[in-house]
């Protein structure tokens, strides 16, 4: 959470930093700020709320200079206010920070006792005071920052500049992401790649414990205590256009439309039809015969993907799978041995709970591996040293509501299930070929759903003013009911519950009345009849029914108020398709209600706090 951008070069820093922050606004949008050093003086501009408020301040009070730092905030310590907005400045030292300084209260007390005065309620201001007090004792910037790191505890990625040494930026990382972008006569530092994509595709991904000094002519990396770390640049193949809206009203809408390509890209190069084998580049699941159990762990939408993955792996590879919310797994002393495989799923690869959960499992002897979308992210790195990483090729996902990351995670899980099934002999060559053929149909089938967006808009119009929704599904479509409900609530602020359709009669059916729309997923497959019976129960209580069913289902229209038909596929693949109309329904309801679809209130894209 929180986005950081820093620039040192020969161009106007403000333009580059503000453009970079715009690409990172998904990380937090409670306030934004920028500090530029020019002629040995620091100019700071800050504003509460979205970046556009800072734009306004800058248009009235511009900042010139070729070195600077910027920040977009998701509030942790201290409410969103101009005072609490970053950068924080003390005696010519300015700091932007992402993370939480755990011992900030004791440090604040100690600094106050020395007569230091605080202007904000944030933990970040501590860093500025510590560096300033070290500088006041005669240290230059780099040793002053190193000494500060010794004093602080917690998660941090920060960038610091000083008007006393106006040629350098200093950055350090512990448990919170930071990347350095390399340019010609200029260098960049940011929380995430899209911030600098317009200027460079060459990045260095700092590791925990790394400390970097950026100047116009180069970047020097050491450990916190000064041991040199070799600079290992990587070229990124994401293009700057991938981080643009491309004519869509919102990133979320664009990303929903990118799903056919993202799914195809995630399959590409991994499937050998002739041998009916899946090649999991980067992942070594070890001796598949010896693995006797999987735990899949994740948060939010990625957790819903994990729930679908349980159906896929258990059904195809016949290995028991437990699915655990990462925030629960990390604290419940899980029973794990060397025959347990732990799979983390994360779009960002930075979700703190997921990272902590897999670290805990690894300590207990598990092989850990990951499905991730972001190259070299913290979770990806942790797993690269153990079981490995299977990357989804969704490209940058900017909308806070996850869409294409989800469908590509499902594809990755299906590939893993087939791989395991083939290795363990639970899946014949012929059956694998059939499943893989079905998987390859998915991009076209998603396109077919997207081509009928108009009918989803009509459905959305009819229900946009409802205050509560119920989503029902069974089998692999039960997690899709959860996901549909999450999509709706997070972007439209409408209350929505996802339920296993068979659970209705144990309580939620009491909620049904003519005002509450129920969205049911009843596609062809082993649980079709059962699901339809549960939906009939809703109808019998005057509930309004919107049903996602399979093309050719003539019967469903008899009970539904609205039907949306999706192409037929294997029941285990169905969720990759049935989720798409639910994404669109949520999107259009939110848009009709005028909420901020890409940056819904109180949320951030990458959740790097507990
Ligand atoms: O980056 P991750 O996949 O680890 O993120 C997990 C959740 O924070 C994320 O899926 C969140 O629930 C989304 N806002 C859902 O749309």
């Amino acid at each position: 959470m929180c986005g950081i951008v820093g620039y040192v070069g020969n161009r106007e820093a403000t333009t580059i930093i503000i453009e970079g922050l715009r690409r990172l606004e998904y990380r937090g949008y409670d306030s934004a700020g920028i500090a530029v050093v020019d002629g040995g003086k620091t100019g700071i501009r800050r504003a509460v709320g979205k970046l556009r408020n800072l734009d306004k301040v800058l248009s009235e009070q511009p900042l010139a200079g070729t070195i600077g730092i910027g920040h977009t905030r998701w509030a942790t310590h201290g409410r969103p206010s101009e005072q609490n907005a970053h950068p924080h400045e003390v005696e010519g030292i300015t700091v932007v920070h992402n993370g939480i300084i755990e011992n900030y209260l004791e440090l604040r007390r100690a600094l106050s006792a020395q007569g230091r005065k605080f202007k904000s309620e944030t933990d970040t201001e501590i860093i500025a005071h510590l560096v300033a007090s070290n500088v006041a004792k005669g240290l230059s910037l780099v040793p002053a920052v190193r000494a500060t790191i010794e004093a602080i505890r917690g998660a941090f990625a920060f960038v610091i500049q000083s008007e006393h040494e106006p040629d350098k930026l200093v950055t350090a990382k512990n448990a919170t992401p930071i990347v350095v972008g390399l340019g010609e006569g200029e260098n960049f530092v940011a929380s995430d790649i899209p911030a600098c994509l317009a200027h460079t595709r060459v990045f260095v991904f700092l590791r925990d414990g790394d400390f970097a000094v950026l100047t116009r002519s180069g970047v020097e990396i050491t450990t916190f205590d000064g041991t040199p770390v070799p600079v290992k640049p990587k070229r990124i193949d994401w293009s700057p256009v991938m981080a643009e809206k491309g004519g869509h009203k919102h990133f979320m809408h664009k990303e929903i439309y990118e799903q056919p390509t993202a799914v195809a890209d995630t399959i590409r190069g991994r499937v050998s039809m002739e041998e009916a084998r899946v090649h999991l580049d980067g992942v070594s699941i070890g001796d598949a015969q010896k693995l006797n159990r999987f735990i899949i762990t994740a948060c939010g939408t990625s957790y819903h993907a994990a729930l679908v993955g349980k159906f896929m792996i258990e059904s195809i590879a016949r290995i028991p799978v437990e699915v655990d919310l990462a925030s629960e797994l990390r604290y419940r002393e899980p029973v794990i041995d060397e025959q347990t495989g732990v799979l983390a799923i994360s779009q960002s690869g930075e979700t703190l709970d997921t990272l902590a959960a897999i670290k805990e499992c690894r300590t207990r002897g598990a092989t850990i591996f990951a499905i991730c979308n972001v190259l070299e992210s913290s979770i990806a790195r942790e797993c690269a040293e153990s079981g490995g990483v299977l990357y989804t090729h969704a490209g940058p996902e900017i909308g806070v509501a996850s869409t294409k990351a989800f469908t590509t995670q499902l594809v990755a899980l299906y590939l893993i299930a087939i791989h395991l099934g083939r290795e363990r002999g639970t899946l014949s060559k012929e059956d694998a070929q059939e499943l893989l053929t079905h998987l390859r149909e998915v991009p076209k089938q998603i396109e077919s759903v997207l081509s009928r967006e108009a009918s989803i808009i009509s459905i959305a119009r009819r229900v946009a003013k409802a205050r509560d929704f119920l989503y029902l599904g069974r089998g692999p479509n039960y997690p899709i009911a959860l996901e549909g409900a999450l999509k709706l609530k997070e972007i439209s602020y409408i209350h929505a519950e996802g339920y296993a359709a068979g659970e209705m009669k144990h309580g939620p059916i009491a909620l049904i009345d003519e005002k509450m729309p129920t969205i049911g997923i009843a596609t062809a497959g082993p649980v079709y009849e059962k699901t339809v019976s549960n939906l009939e129960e809703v109808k019998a209580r005057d509930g309004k029914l919107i049903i996602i069913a399979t093309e050719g289902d003539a019967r469903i229209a008899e009970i539904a108020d609205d039907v949306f038909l999706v192409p037929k596929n294997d029941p285990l693949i169905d969720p990759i398709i049935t989720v798409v109309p639910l994404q669109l329904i949520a999107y259009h309801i939110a848009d009709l209600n005028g909420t901020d679809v890409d940056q819904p209130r109180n949320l951030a894209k990458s959740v790097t706090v507990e």
Side-chain angles (χ1 to χ4, degrees), residues 471-473 477-486 497-499 521 582:
Y471 284 72
L472 298 178
N477 276 318
Y478 160 48
I480 299 306
L482 298 176
E483 174 60 8
L486 175 63
E497 300 264 5
Y499 261 96
I521 311 152
L582 301 192

Side-chain angles (χ1 to χ4, degrees), residues 299-302 346-348 351 400-402 486-487 490 607:
C299 303
T301 286
S302 298
S346 175
Q347 185 285 130
S348 61
T351 302
V400 165
S402 189
L486 175 63
K487 283 291 87 85
E490 73 178 323
V607 184

Side-chain angles (χ1 to χ4, degrees), residues 142-448:
V142 166
V145 177
R146 287 197 204 282
T148 299
I149 291 173
E150 275 178 32
I152 57 177
R153 254 195 346 259
F156 54 82
F158 57 66
V159 185
I160 299 181
Q161 69 181 356
S162 163
E163 62 187 28
H164 316 296
E165 296 179 49
D167 56 342
K168 58 171 76 91
L169 298 176
V170 177
T171 182
K173 169 184 174 0
N174 183 43
T176 300
I178 201 100
V179 297
V180 171
L182 304 182
E184 293 287 325
E186 57 184 4
N187 289 300
F188 311 81
V189 54
S191 302
D192 202 355
I193 300 162
C196 322
L197 264 185
H199 312 289
T200 181
R201 303 248 194 118
V202 185
F203 289 89
V204 179
F205 297 87
L206 296 194
R207 295 177 171 252
D208 286 346
D210 280 355
F211 182 101
V213 180
L214 287 78
T215 58
R216 289 177 178 84
S217 55
V219 174
E220 204 181 272
I221 305 179
T222 59
T223 56
F224 289 168
D225 59 10
T227 312
V229 171
V231 178
K232 288 190 186 148
K234 294 217 162 149
R235 217 187 144 71
I236 296 296
D237 59 6
W238 291 1
S239 75
V241 219
M242 285 167 115
E244 305 285 347
K245 283 191 203 147
H248 292 260
K249 186 171 175 189
H250 296 101
F251 277 112
M252 180 183 178
H253 194 257
K254 176 186 175 231
E255 287 158 7
I256 290 172
Y257 269 78
E258 284 173 341
Q259 291 180 110
T261 310
V263 163
D265 288 349
T266 302
I267 302 171
R268 184 168 302 118
R270 288 174 168 157
V271 168
S272 153
M273 282 306 268
E274 209 173 307
E275 300 162 44
R277 294 268 168 202
V278 167
H279 308 289
L280 300 179
D281 46 293
V283 178
S284 109
I285 296 192
D287 186 341
Q289 297 295 354
K290 281 199 193 138
L291 277 183
N292 59 17
R293 174 172 158 252
F294 267 98
I295 296 177
I296 315 184
T297 190
C299 303
T301 286
S302 298
Y303 170 72
H304 297 153
L307 292 171
V308 179
K310 174 180 168 73
F311 283 92
M312 293 170 168
I313 295 172
E314 288 190 342
S315 159
I316 296 174
R318 307 304 300 156
I319 306 179
V321 176
E322 286 166 38
V323 178
D324 237 324
L325 287 165
S327 53
E328 292 294 320
L329 177 66
R330 61 182 292 199
Y331 291 117
R332 75 166 171 82
E333 301 199 18
V335 180
I336 280 171
D337 58 25
E338 277 148 20
Q339 287 163 310
T340 309
V342 175
L343 170 61
I345 306 180
S346 175
Q347 185 285 130
S348 61
E350 299 296 345
T351 302
L352 190 73
D353 281 324
T354 310
L355 181 61
I358 53 168
K359 282 185 174 168
E360 173 66 27
C361 294
R362 196 174 172 199
T363 317
R364 287 168 186 266
T367 304
I368 55 168
F369 46 100
I371 295 175
C372 263
N373 192 42
V374 178
L375 198 72
E376 291 281 330
S377 51
S378 303
I379 291 171
R381 279 201 212 142
E382 188 72 27
C383 292
E385 291 165 9
S386 178
V389 190
L390 186 64
Y391 282 106
T392 48
H393 296 308
E397 192 181 65
I398 313 279
V400 165
S402 189
T403 53
K404 60 177 179 170
F406 179 70
T407 39
T408 54
Q409 286 165 352
L410 296 185
V411 169
L413 283 160
Y414 198 72
L415 291 173
I416 289 175
I418 294 180
H419 172 80
L420 287 170
R422 293 290 287 135
E423 292 293 309
R424 291 166 61 87
T426 55
L427 184 67
S428 70
K429 186 174 174 183
E430 294 67 34
D431 287 348
Q433 277 167 336
E434 196 181 325
L435 296 186
L436 289 168
T437 306
H438 287 316
L439 185 64
R440 285 174 151 190
E441 288 163 3
V442 171
K444 281 250 154 316
Q445 295 188 327
I446 296 180
E447 270 169 23
S448 141

